Amino acid sequence: MATLPIQVQPGDVISSELMNAILDALAQLQGTPGGTQTVPNLFGAFLSEARAIIQQPSRQLALGFTYDVGGAAIDPLAQANANLIVLNQNPPADARVAPGTPVNLVVSLSSVVNPNPGGDPPTISRTETAGGTITTSFAVGGTLVLVGTNFNATASQNTVTFNNVPAASVTPDPADPTRRLQIVVPAGIPGAPVNGGDPPLSNVSLRVLTPNGTPAVTTVTVTAPMAAQPTISSIAPLTQFEGSNITITGTNFTAAAQVRIRNVVAAIVSTTPTTIVATVPDFPDIIAGPPVAASVVVSITGFGDAAFAGTFRVRGN
């Protein structure tokens, strides 16, 4: 049985300093589920080493997000990233946290271009709206999110077609580029609706192909375009601190618009038909230092979603 490294004798006065020392010693002895865990110092370690340390069963911690100093998401399991150096972490070293707490890492820039980890073919697990609702029905000109694995982090390396018609645009989700693609449904799909009220076209073959040559295929239903479908043309500034405002410029915005940054609802300061001023939320996993790439989506119930096709980044405070 472990004992406290502090001796208290009868008649001793329990000062605030002594009480803090006792509490500190107790915390160090806690290691069972329900107690607190001490976060290890990972600064300077290789990513492979840091991952192994975090995942030691006795530590009862989890590996959280991993980004490089340029803000790009990093696959911690890819062999090409094994020797990246840990430059920052959150929670910090020696912090005491609850069991199961994720430890987020910032690592050095990779010298190896590895946008499609392992060169494996892409897979498709589901389709969603840009706002995160799982569905297989999407309007012409609307944005759908393809969720799967092994997409290419370089937009041009993902060839996406609808019944062999190229997508209007394809953008990897900046927060998870190899597992989420933001795709705009094109006009001109044979048999697809053109005007409001036209019947939908079902069983449209949605196909994604990466440079490894093996496509992944699913089917969706394409519905008529919406007259007031929101769009996003720009965001200013493109890098902003948590708690500060950004201006989203586009079309068809209304007072009912909702803005989500990294899938977290942002407070809206003002709205016009072409601009929305919104406040960047606070994110517990974003620490002060390099900015982190983040998705930005405008959703209007009944009129669809719009995802920003550029790269917006959040700076921690």
Side-chain angles (χ1 to χ4, degrees):
M1 178 178 177
T3 59
L4 282 174
I6 296 173
Q7 299 299 320
V8 180
Q9 301 299 328
D12 282 352
V13 176
I14 307 298
S15 65
S16 59
E17 290 81 5
L18 180 57
M19 179 59 71
N20 287 335
I22 293 171
L23 293 174
D24 186 67
L26 282 170
Q28 293 182 40
L29 291 175
Q30 289 177 328
T32 57
T36 59
Q37 305 301 312
T38 300
V39 178
N41 184 2
L42 303 170
F43 181 81
F46 289 126
L47 177 55
S48 58
E49 295 172 340
R51 178 166 59 85
I53 292 170
I54 291 171
Q55 294 178 335
Q56 289 174 352
S58 61
R59 294 192 183 277
Q60 301 181 44
L61 299 173
L63 179 61
F65 299 107
T66 302
Y67 293 97
D68 67 23
V69 291
I74 295 295
D75 182 357
L77 301 179
Q79 184 59 38
N81 297 328
N83 290 332
L84 299 183
I85 305 298
V86 176
L87 301 177
N88 210 336
Q89 65 183 82
N90 184 44
D94 298 325
R96 292 192 178 88
V97 297
T101 295
V103 179
N104 306 301
L105 303 176
V106 176
V107 298
S108 57
L109 286 172
S110 174
S111 60
V112 178
V113 177
N114 187 39
N116 188 7
D120 295 325
T123 66
I124 298 172
S125 58
R126 65 181 184 274
T127 53
E128 302 177 350
T129 67
T133 301
I134 297 175
T135 182
T136 58
S137 183
F138 302 93
V140 172
T143 300
L144 70 83
V145 175
L146 195 61
V147 182
T149 63
N150 300 321
F151 302 139
N152 202 288
T154 301
S156 62
Q157 297 300 300
N158 301 285
T159 301
V160 178
T161 58
F162 293 76
N163 282 356
N164 296 319
V165 175
S169 71
V170 179
T171 306
D173 185 330
D176 203 353
T178 63
R179 294 190 291 185
R180 295 174 64 85
L181 294 178
Q182 300 169 344
I183 300 164
V184 175
V185 181
I189 302 171
V194 175
N195 303 305
D198 288 350
L201 178 65
S202 59
N203 296 317
V204 175
S205 176
L206 171 56
R207 181 175 181 266
V208 57
L209 177 68
T210 59
N212 64 33
T214 305
V217 181
T218 189
T219 59
V220 295
T221 297
V222 175
T223 61
M226 297 183 180
Q229 170 78 35
T231 67
I232 300 175
S233 58
S234 65
I235 294 177
L238 283 173
T239 300
Q240 185 57 287
F241 285 95
E242 296 171 308
S244 297
N245 294 339
I246 59 172
T247 299
I248 304 169
T249 301
T251 61
N252 299 320
F253 298 152
T254 72
Q258 181 187 76
V259 174
R260 300 181 73 88
I261 301 175
R262 295 182 86 224
N263 206 32
V264 174
V265 176
I268 293 179
V269 178
S270 63
T271 304
T272 74
T274 57
T275 62
I276 297 174
V277 177
T279 303
V280 178
D282 289 329
F283 300 97
D285 62 302
I286 296 183
I287 59 179
V292 174
S295 58
V296 179
V297 175
V298 173
S299 300
I300 303 176
T301 302
F303 296 96
D305 308 300
F308 181 50
T311 301
F312 171 71
R313 300 180 189 276
V314 176
R315 281 193 181 277
N317 292 313

